[in-house]
Amino acid sequence: MRSVNTYIGRPIERVEDRRFLRGRGQYIDDIKRDGQWHATIVRSTTAFGRIVKLDTTAAMAMPGVHAIVTAADIEKPIPTIPFRRKNPTIAPYAQPVIASEYVRYVGEPVAVVLAESAELAEDAVGEVTVEIEPLAPCVDAQTSAAGTHLLFPGTGGNIASTFTAQCGDASAAFAKAPYVRRERFRVQRHTALPMETRGLLAEWHANENRLTVSGAAKLPFFNRRAMAGMMGLPETSVDYIELDVGGGFGARGEFYPEDFLVAFAARKFEHPIKWIEDRREHFTAIGHAREMDAEIEIACLKDGTVLAMRGTMHVDIGAYVRPNGMTPVRNVIQFTAAPYRIANLDFTAHGVVTNKTPAGTYRGPGRFEGCFFCERMFDIAARELGVDHLEMRRRNLLTDKDMPYALVGIAPEDGFGDSECDSGDYRVTLDHCLKEFGWEEKKALAGTLRDGRYHGIGVGCFIEGGASGPREGARLEVLPDGKVDVYVGSSAIGQGIETIMAQIAADALEIPMDDVRILHGSTTYLKEGFGSYGSRATVMGGSAIILAVEDMLKAFRNLAAARFSVPLEEVSLSEGVARARDGRSLTLAEAAAVGKLTGEGSFSSDKRTYTYGTAAAHVAVDPKTGSVQVLDYVVVDDVGRTINPLTLHGQVVGAAVQGFGSVFSENLLYDANGQLLVGSLADYQIPLATDYPHIRAITLEQFPAPHNPLGAKGAGEGGIIPVGGAVTNAIASALSSLNVQPTELPLTPPRLWELIEKARAAATAQD
Amino acid sequence: MKLPPFDYQAPATLGEAVQILSDGAGAAKAIAGGQSLIPILAFRLANPSVLVDLGGIAGLNDITISEAGISIGAMVRWRELEDHTSLRSACPLIPAAVGHIAHYQIRNRGTIGGSLAHADPAAEMPGIAAACDARIEIVGRTGTRKVGAQDFFLGPLTTCLAHDELITAIHFPPWPSARRWAFEEFSQRRGDFAFAGIALYYDERPDGIIENAHVGVIGATHIPRRLGAVEDTLNGRKFVDTVLALAAKTASSSVEPDDDIHASAAYRRALVGTLVERSLIAAANRGRAS
Amino acid sequence: MKVRFEVNGSSVEADVAPRTTLCDCLRHHLGLTGTHAGCEHGVCGACTVIVNGEAVRSCLLLAVQASGASIVTVEGLADGDKLSPLQQAFQKHHALQCGFCTSGMLTTLHALLSDEPMADEDRIRDVLSGNLCRCTGYIPIVEAALEAREHYAKKQGPKAG
């Protein structure tokens, strides 16, 4: 492996850019097949009820309509979508691929119209008659948890699963602590909102009994396995093809009902079936995320040392448990106090079903929420204790002496296994961040009113979990011209893996990067792969590539030794050339020309990586409008080792801006009838180019990751995690004279204004 | 979100357009810039049988500035209003407001006539038209008529236009060069519909007394209109703190905003007061060395 | 209905229903899939194309309305195989990740900078507020636009400034 003049560590411009810049990307709606039909989904407009009538006669008579699929066409029992992780109680809450007896959320698929074009399919949707006998919907997790109205008859209640995280003896610690404080927090329902909506194109090859599904993302191999099971096919008869993907952020790529429905229709009618989600539909059909209520308690010594934390979260997971629906639930309790050394923890999180669109993961799932709860709790405690809140961080943050530091274990066991923070000194990124931010200089502004606005500064410390296991696969083939095709199981979702993996492969092979081509994601490329989630692609895919290269170079060396008729130890390898001591040489191209030269690698790891860092924010709050301007935002993280600083920086900044959207403007609001009140991009408000221009992201490489050959830590999600905590702490700092303590997101201008008015009224009442 | 099916006509004259609309008996709809209409069709909130494209009709694109005032053809696009150099002095309130309308690409296509006919109470131009006592020129089967802004808007998304009628021009009164004016709106993000907005102007006598105050509100009422009660707190008075405070307070109680998913009525009321205050300060400071 | 217009310098013809948007006409009738449909209700800007020199949302324009127009899409920005200075600046500054909003960003900026080569950062951000991006956080897009101005200023010659 190359050790000088490496590609790794250089800000190399992305190889995938050319086609996107030229408008030659191939996203799912850009491809078509002869004879294809278009699918449009008929969705429930009632949040909870029993289907009493489903009449497709009028719709079938509409121009261009070929067929309509309902539950009646699908062999019972209606397949349910498999879970990605084991859990003892969630089985009854699995999502059926189509509603048959009950509908449980507005947007649930009820029928599929198949027509000659998307226009004609949509015209017919309005003609499908669906009569639903409504039942009283439940739209609040805590009410639902009380369980008087069961969403699923026959279950014991509406809590699909309860996770606990316990270590030490929190009760004892709370009993003797000189300071304890309880607070309630809430994060709103929102969603990843990639710029490309979802889409799939399913083809059934009858003569081969083979199904091809294009439009895969994130985890094509799991989805293939799931699809094969649900369609009654061997896994090897199903291909999931990954094209270009317009963003994922955790939401796109999981197995959804539509995956099955288009495949089912393709096989039943023997026509390629194309389905493109429209944006309005997207809001009720894509995975929602993040909605949870938390009651958190902290126990401290007078000097701010945290003795214990405990709490209960109710996570509103929507109507069904999605394949990864429990990930945020178990994550929030593992990560609420995660960058800190707290020996006594006792958290409980309930995953509660409600009559809303099912929820799953969104970048930093459970971690964004947990960091918000913890960082606010720390600042509230510090203020009341009269302790400097930075000192409180320093006192409690994990240092290199604590490493490896076991994170609190989660019950029930779900296959994630135990986890420990791998390496680092979390105080270093704190100090570095404060310095970059200019904390000392900005301190004087905190809480002051200038030109009608209150200024405030705040911090948030975080860790992000990366390199999710269990393994990843790669293989490579040397072509007769000496170029190398590298196949890897990681999925591209915009993060630049064609470039990053090429950097790694080229360094491992010691050949120019231009001679390496990365092929990714599709199940046709590898026997086994896993995908891109939990910030794993660089570490898992990259490490698998290194192993595949090692495997091939071993074979190459053996070949050379045989060719030169010398012992193996006399063959040296460098820059893609094998040499004998007497100067004879053999290039990769020459070797590949005479016979197949390939390598395979599978990198396994049950040890996750933990990128960590600190963010600091400076805000100015207009108390009359509730408007907040982020005047400066600095985040410093340590990723162990940077493969490509250009793309890494892009990940952190992009994630930070998403975080601002979570804090200030995004909200999937439901009314009491379970109707989603947001159905367009005019109402679902994500950050614009005018909103957050002042972001600085700095990456350190002081503590390499100890458990992978790259020494790198996954870093795709860290950018979003501290935004909630850091920014709301800054707002609290700004409004400290008014005693406004934000505990709920989002802080839209009207909501912040209401908090300010409430605080003013309370202050007046006291006078 | 494909559009529902419709026929399409692109008449060359106003007369032809009116005829098609009249024959359609409410099922025909005029399309100007399409920036409001096409999203409505995409959401299938309307189902016209024929769209009548006004883009090919001559005579609807002129901007005329004279002693009689400012006349703007209904098909004038926002971009043209933004770029029009004389308009900046002839009626500065208009270009100031237009910069807040939606976004760059939309302003290349959206028209002033289309916006007024659409009559979204959260939109800027209906509020400007009301504030300035604009007169809206209309043509229909029975001929032409002019309607004052105060009579043109009947409710949210509702105007006095009959199904066969089209706006042809909007007429603004002449604007004295010494006029004090301001436009202030507050929205979550650039280009969003504002939570509320204020467009105001007044003339100042040599002794500093305010007269002819016009205060128009955007987004906090069902019908864009002038806030007469606020104007009464200003007319005949000098610009001092107490007048400012009273004007702001009166404004808050003069509007009847709704609660919606973005903001409460209480918030919008308070915001209207704040915007009136800020507008008056901006108007008073305009052109003065501070 | 038959429509005829010029796209990226070539004369093209299509037979479309009145309800076909210019976006769908370009993508599905003319095979120019570089223009993307991100929302179909005029908010996201991914569908932006240049019509008679002006950036417009192609999802809010009927194909029949564009008859006779001169249209530039993202496919028309490069000079053969050579990326334009704006496109090169995007690559240099890592102004794209998933690439889905990129076409609209490029056409919008090309229209803006062709008209206003000295647009400052505030103006660039103001214009880009009509184009949603979920990946980059906009900062590198603005940096790329600022760098590309030099080329547009040179192109405009004595008119610039």
Side-chain angles (χ1 to χ4, degrees), chain B residues 1-6 8 31-33 35 38-39 42-44 51 53 79 103-106 108-109 190, chain C residues 18-19 24 39-42 48 54-57 59-62 64-65 108 112 115 123 126-127 129-131:
Chain B
M1 293 163 72
K2 303 303 176 190
L3 307 183
F6 49 79
Y8 171 84
I31 180 167
Q35 308 299 280
I38 295 187
F43 279 98
R44 302 211 172 200
L51 288 194
D53 194 340
R79 174 80 179 268
H103 298 286
Y104 183 69
Q105 298 95 332
I106 289 181
N108 283 331
R109 293 284 308 164
R190 187 77 57 92
Chain C
R19 64 164 158 175
D24 279 349
C39 74
E40 296 186 299
H41 57 276
T48 304
E54 295 182 330
V56 300
R57 294 179 175 338
C59 75
L60 296 188
L61 189 58
L62 304 174
V64 294
Q65 286 183 296
T108 301
L112 170 68
D115 221 24
R123 175 63 174 158
D126 186 41
V127 168
S129 70
N131 293 70

Side-chain angles (χ1 to χ4, degrees), chain A residues 119 122-123 278 280 622 624-625 627 664-665 669 677 679-681 683 685-686 688 690 749-750 753-754, chain B residues 1-2 4-5 42-44 103 186 188-190 192 195 261-264 266-267 270-271 274 277-278:
Chain A
E119 288 84 352
E122 194 173 336
D123 290 345
D278 70 39
R280 175 182 43 187
D622 180 339
K624 294 206 162 166
T625 61
S627 157
F664 289 118
S665 56
L669 278 163
L677 299 173
S680 79
L681 288 177
D683 285 330
Q685 297 171 329
I686 70 168
L688 306 180
T690 36
W753 178 85
E754 310 249 354
Chain B
M1 293 163 72
K2 303 303 176 190
F43 279 98
R44 302 211 172 200
H103 298 286
F186 179 64
Q188 173 96 45
R189 305 170 306 172
R190 187 77 57 92
D192 285 341
F195 292 114
I261 60 167
H262 295 300
S264 65
Y267 175 78
L271 181 62
T274 297
E277 191 174 359
R278 292 183 180 179

Side-chain angles (χ1 to χ4, degrees), chain A residues 47-65:
Chain A
F48 191 25
R50 275 188 55 248
I51 301 174
V52 295
K53 181 167 152 198
L54 183 48
D55 190 344
T56 60
T57 333
M60 276 299 294
M62 294 283 288
V65 175

Side-chain angles (χ1 to χ4, degrees), chain A residues 111-127:
Chain A
V112 186
V113 172
L114 301 159
E116 195 55 26
S117 71
E119 288 84 352
L120 294 173
E122 194 173 336
D123 290 345
V125 162
E127 300 299 313

Side-chain angles (χ1 to χ4, degrees), chain B residues 6-27:
Chain B
F6 49 79
D7 287 330
Y8 171 84
Q9 303 263 32
T13 68
L14 218 42
E16 282 171 52
V18 168
Q19 189 62 52
I20 300 166
L21 290 171
S22 174
D23 292 345

